[in-house]
Amino acid sequence: MTTTDGATTDAATTDAATTDGATTDGATTDGATTDAATTDGATTDGATTDAATTDGATTDGATTDGATTDGATTEAGEERLRRWRLVLGGDAADGTGHGLSGRDAQMDGALTALYGKESGARTGRDRSAGLGASAPSVARWLGDIRTYFPSSVVQVMQRDAIDRLGLSALLLEPEMLEAVEADVHLVGTLLSLNKAMPETTKETARAVIRKVVEDLEKRLATRTRAALTGALDRGTRVHRPRRHDIDWNRTIAVNLKHYLPEYGTVVPERLVGYGRASRSVKKEVILCIDQSGSMASSVVYASVFGAVLASMRSISTRLVVFDTAVADLTDLLDDPVDVLFGTRLGGGTDINRALAYCQTQITRPAETVVVLISDLYEGGIRDEMLRRVAAMKASGVQFVALLALSDEGTPAYDREHAAGLAALGAPAFACTPDLFPEVMAAAIERRPLPVPDTA
């Protein structure tokens, strides 16, 4: 029996086959380890590789880094089951077999109240309301969801509760309004209930709407003013321009005599730049807003933008809302909340009549921008509507058609009317509040509109 580098022959077990006192299942022959030593872990010269057992715990299916064996559920698997259980609602067929307790059980109760069934077997595809009709229980539920979910989720759940459970009537109660999470969609719902709202509730509703409006103004006003007051008047030149207003082509042209060959550059002694628009009234903007029920969010945003535009001395702003009748709310633009309470969401649509009124308010066509915000479902005279748009454009009016002014994307709209406007050179497109200042700046400067790519 001879030994070679610590490996014995003739079925003798080598010292290198054991690690921390754990012996392999079979003898080694000529230094080759048996199957129990696993491949890539064959011993050579008495040394074992990383695949050999660690910390003295060897089994046939040895695991590393503390992983559990025999298919035991990991911590990540438990979290996945928990999330699926909350999503599926605990139905017999949800397949998770996972129970909830503590905060998770309370969250599940809040979700079940809105999306689950009150009694009987539930299925994921057969869900109904469980809040009941009492204002106290709804108020408690509103408090619960604000505790367990972030604001963005709360707003979605409130919207679903109003749509699925018909809770609009409960919003007429002041204590309910104080419990809800205010957003643009809630404002739209309150405006649709304006006529039915008792006086005791109106002040609370105004406070809720004012909070939303002020938040929107903070978000949108600075960018809007910057985009519009910073618009360049490229028809004039100044010789002490701001850095961003320098016309480099003209500056280089007038300073070519100051070219320095040894440095290969021009040293400008005189700068030429674009003049900025003066603060006198030079542009007129007419916002013509469809106040049919489907345009609620657009009415809210347009009212806020109308108030911002009205605060700018370089722009004369008029705000017109319409359904089958037309209302000029320009006198209320000092307070967008007053504008919103002056609207009347719902009813039909007569775009032709609204544009006819707008035409009577145009005194300087070449300096006027008309913004129609509507889904274009016309209840009036279609051909007459298109003729009015053509006449305004022919007189020099810059006409902009927005299918929506909201964050929701493109709504349902009348494609035939949209195609008719596009043929007149007035493409109709949906616009987000963040894009609106750029659209207005382009319209005022008569540049191509930044139409979003909907492809």
Side-chain angles (χ1 to χ4, degrees):
M1 295 183 184
T2 60
T3 60
T4 306
D5 295 331
T8 60
T9 60
D10 296 332
T13 305
T14 67
D15 293 337
T18 61
T19 307
D20 294 335
T23 309
T24 58
D25 291 339
T28 60
T29 306
D30 296 328
T33 59
T34 63
D35 291 341
T38 70
T39 56
D40 296 328
T43 58
T44 353
D45 297 331
T48 56
T49 65
D50 291 340
T53 58
T54 52
D55 297 332
T58 58
T59 56
D60 288 342
T63 59
T64 58
D65 297 331
T68 58
T69 61
D70 298 329
T73 306
T74 64
E75 184 177 346
E78 287 284 349
E79 177 62 15
R80 281 196 296 271
L81 286 176
R82 168 184 169 272
R83 290 174 176 269
W84 276 114
R85 166 61 182 81
L86 287 168
V87 170
L88 297 174
D91 299 330
D94 73 3
T96 64
H98 188 80
L100 299 176
S101 61
R103 183 182 177 88
D104 285 347
Q106 293 171 328
M107 290 174 62
D108 187 57
L111 291 168
T112 301
L114 176 57
Y115 302 110
K117 296 190 70 174
E118 291 182 291
S119 60
R122 292 196 300 254
T123 65
R125 298 183 180 181
D126 181 20
R127 286 180 162 177
S128 62
L131 284 180
S134 69
S137 67
V138 177
R140 284 194 298 272
W141 178 78
L142 288 169
D144 287 344
I145 64 175
R146 292 173 76 174
T147 300
Y148 303 130
F149 303 101
S151 177
S152 57
V153 176
V154 169
Q155 292 171 6
V156 172
M157 294 179 72
Q158 285 179 172
R159 213 175 307 157
D160 287 346
I162 291 170
D163 294 340
R164 292 165 59 91
L165 310 182
L167 298 184
S168 297
L170 291 177
L171 293 177
L172 302 180
E173 301 181 19
E175 60 272 19
M176 284 292 297
L177 285 179
E178 293 172 357
V180 295
E181 187 81 18
D183 68 345
V184 170
H185 298 280
L186 177 65
V187 171
T189 301
L190 292 177
L191 294 177
S192 67
L193 299 171
N194 184 21
K195 301 304 179 184
M197 193 175 293
E199 291 300 324
T200 55
T201 306
K202 281 191 175 181
E203 284 307 311
T204 306
R206 288 182 72 90
V208 171
I209 292 174
R210 186 171 299 281
K211 179 180 183 300
V212 175
V213 168
E214 288 175 352
D215 289 344
L216 290 178
E217 283 188 302
K218 289 177 184 177
R219 168 188 161 192
L220 303 172
T222 301
R223 182 174 181 180
T224 302
R225 293 191 181 101
L228 298 183
T229 59
L232 297 176
D233 180 1
R234 298 182 183 274
T236 61
R237 295 290 182 268
V238 295
H239 297 294
R240 296 182 64 184
R242 300 177 184 178
R243 179 170 59 87
H244 295 295
D245 301 346
I246 296 174
D247 183 343
W248 287 108
N249 289 333
R250 286 178 177 268
T251 296
I252 292 171
V254 301
N255 287 281
L256 284 176
K257 60 184 177 181
H258 303 301
Y259 177 72
L260 301 179
E262 61 272 26
Y263 294 103
T265 187
V266 171
V267 178
E269 290 189 357
R270 184 163 65 94
L271 298 176
V272 180
Y274 302 113
R276 286 184 174 265
S278 68
R279 292 189 177 275
S280 60
V281 174
K282 298 187 66 174
K283 295 293 181 180
E284 297 181 1
V285 174
I286 300 176
L287 298 177
C288 187
I289 309 168
D290 183 347
Q291 63 176 353
S292 58
S294 60
M295 302 295 293
S297 295
S298 298
V299 171
V300 176
Y301 279 116
S303 298
V304 173
F305 276 119
V308 172
L309 294 174
S311 69
M312 300 171 62
R313 288 180 292 175
S314 59
I315 298 175
S316 174
T317 306
R318 182 168 295 277
L319 190 143
V320 177
V321 298
F322 67 92
D323 43 31
T324 53
V326 180
D328 192 328
L329 303 182
T330 303
D331 292 340
L332 303 177
L333 278 175
D334 287 342
D335 188 345
V337 176
D338 289 339
V339 171
L340 290 172
F341 271 92
T343 62
R344 184 180 58 189
L345 291 179
T349 308
D350 193 339
I351 303 173
N352 179 55
R353 175 176 290 187
L355 293 181
Y357 176 80
C358 292
Q359 278 184 301
T360 66
Q361 305 303 307
I362 297 173
T363 57
R364 299 186 302 151
E367 304 298 334
T368 300
V369 178
V370 174
V371 182
L372 172 65
I373 304 174
S374 173
D375 54 16
L376 302 180
Y377 285 111
E378 171 65 310
I381 307 172
R382 174 187 180 275
D383 292 339
E384 185 67 19
M385 177 194 76
L386 294 177
R387 278 195 293 270
R388 290 190 188 280
V389 175
M392 281 191 277
K393 288 186 65 65
S395 68
V397 171
Q398 184 78 342
F399 190 89
V400 179
L402 302 180
L403 301 171
L405 179 54
S406 67
D407 293 303
E408 276 66 49
T410 305
Y413 65 96
D414 190 307
R415 297 180 180 275
E416 185 178 356
H417 290 170
L421 290 174
L424 297 174
F429 58 96
C431 178
T432 65
D434 289 336
L435 181 63
F436 185 75
E438 298 177 28
V439 171
M440 289 303 303
I444 287 173
E445 294 182 341
R446 295 184 175 271
R447 293 186 280 108
L449 300 179
V451 180
D453 182 6
T454 58

